[in-house]
Amino acid sequence: MSPTRVLVLNSGSSSVKYQLLDMGDGSRLAVGLVERIGEESGRLKHTPAGGDVREWTGDIPDHESALKAVSAELAKDGLGLDSPELAAIGHRVVHGGRRFTAPTVIDDAVLAEIERLIPVAPLHNPANLTGIRTAQALRPDLPQVAVFDTAFHTTMPESAARYAIDVETADAHRIRRYGFHGTSHAYVSRETAKLLGRAPEEVNVIVLHLGNGASASAVRAGECVDTSMGLTPLEGLVMGTRSGDLDPAVIFHLMRVGGMSADETDTLLNKRSGLVGLCGDNDMREIRRRIDEGDERARLAFDIYIHRLKKYIGAYYAVLGRVDAVAFTAGVGENAAPVREAAVAGLAELGLAVDGDLNAVRGDEPRLISPADARVAVAVVPTDEEMEIATQTYALVMGTKGSGNLT
Ligand code: ADP
């Protein structure tokens, strides 16, 4: 029997999230997180399927010791990294530029290309590379696959992907709209089609991925035609800590008049803006609680968040021409009924409405929340980026899907 397990790694600069999945039956064997790598006291949280959470804190100086610690935890349940049942390791890679349009088996040329993209993803790609190199050193014999956050968006037409700036300057610096959260948008748009009982090629879907980071995408017949994040994840919707869209001249103003440096404006817009900048909280649960207590700042933050979201629904409705479904996903999209209700309120003319009772139901399964006679389906479709990465990785190494291309 050929091995069926896939380890999915999502490596950040000081953290590694991981899941071990069995593609034979689609089960999740273990999930975990290593945090504070290289800091004073590292922390590992490991949850084996059907078992108790195991946690420990200690010295985790680098990614190598983090992965070794993960392997040691997995080994306690007979699932260690040296297991012959491991078929591959799938890595989430944030930026694949224009050339990685599909999951790709990692070799030296692929590593070099991920490295070449560091200028457009300075925070993410270096950490992803470290994770890959560390995993390769531990299991050099095993196929390692890169699954790119940007890949799903590479089908965007030039009219959506290009900024209206001088073409030579843009090209010289690889400035264009790449989009992110692609693994989630791909998975959720397919699952939405499944929920409607139709093939992905038959439906047009607006996917609203609302987590701490948030993005919308317009998916026509299974292909992304527009998405709200751009060169970086800063563009688009109001997020937990990011501003999303603003007049670019705000930045010149902050620098010239406010005396802020480029790094300071970067930090302001990425870390101290969005919901947290508007009201001090970025957790939608807390914001709703404050609104219920009559807090005006929380109310305004919520209204600004919804206003932007509604504008994107309208914009993507126009981009697609015909919309079959609007799908809400990620932490806010899956859990915050008031966000879903407010986002489509007043859009009955577009065929969009939410049924109050259905919207109030909680659950882990994809479900419709629009009235039975609605022209456009509104759905809650839980995302599962790790499962999608594992599925794509496994399909690639088993040869059931063509190899990724470094075009
Ligand atoms: P990310 O992966 O971007 O870090 P998630 O998709 O896990 O984020 O979403 C996290 C966010 O989801 C939290 O910041 C919070 O705002 C929101 N959230 C989680 N659970 C709930 C809930 N029960 N009700 C409302 N919002 C929630």
Side-chain angles (χ1 to χ4, degrees), residues 17 181 209-213 282-285 330-332 335-336 362:
K17 288 188 199 144
H181 290 146
H209 176 111
L210 311 177
N212 200 21
N282 62 336
D283 192 312
M284 193 53 80
R285 284 163 289 203
V332 176
N335 296 298
R362 304 188 60 89

Side-chain angles (χ1 to χ4, degrees), residues 11 13 16 34 37-38 44 59-72 81 130-138:
S11 307
S13 54
V16 177
V34 190
I37 298 170
L44 185 145
D59 197 26
I60 309 177
D62 51 27
H63 281 72
E64 187 184 343
S65 40
L67 260 197
K68 282 186 172 155
V70 170
S71 187
L81 267 187
T130 305
I132 293 170
R133 293 199 170 108
T134 310
Q136 281 181 323
L138 287 178

Side-chain angles (χ1 to χ4, degrees), residues 187-319:
Y187 176 83
V188 170
S189 57
R190 272 203 332 269
E191 288 294 306
T192 304
K194 207 188 278 178
L195 181 67
L196 301 182
R198 295 164 74 182
E201 298 74 34
E202 293 171 3
V203 294
N204 294 347
V205 186
I206 297 173
V207 178
L208 304 169
H209 176 111
L210 311 177
N212 200 21
S215 63
S217 69
V219 183
R220 174 181 289 134
E223 289 197 341
C224 178
V225 292
D226 204 353
T227 194
S228 60
M229 285 178 167
L231 173 73
T232 77
L234 184 55
E235 192 180 346
L237 300 173
V238 175
M239 312 184 206
T241 65
R242 296 189 194 116
S243 63
D245 296 334
L246 45 73
D247 179 347
V250 168
I251 297 167
F252 319 140
H253 189 85
L254 287 169
M255 294 175 77
R256 291 191 188 121
V257 180
M260 290 172 69
S261 68
D263 284 348
E264 284 167 344
T265 39
D266 190 326
T267 303
L268 174 79
L269 298 178
N270 274 295
K271 303 243 163 78
R272 294 197 287 121
S273 296
L275 293 170
V276 90
L278 289 166
C279 74
D281 272 308
N282 62 336
D283 192 312
M284 193 53 80
R285 284 163 289 203
E286 186 59 17
I287 291 170
R288 289 304 311 175
R289 197 190 57 71
R290 284 173 55 186
I291 291 172
D292 289 344
E293 286 177 352
D295 186 317
E296 287 301 323
R297 272 184 73 193
R299 175 85 249 170
L300 181 60
F302 184 82
D303 289 348
I304 294 170
Y305 182 94
I306 296 296
H307 180 73
R308 185 83 52 83
L309 191 54
K310 198 174 269 195
K311 284 211 296 199
Y312 269 91
I313 294 173
Y316 288 172
Y317 209 119
V319 165

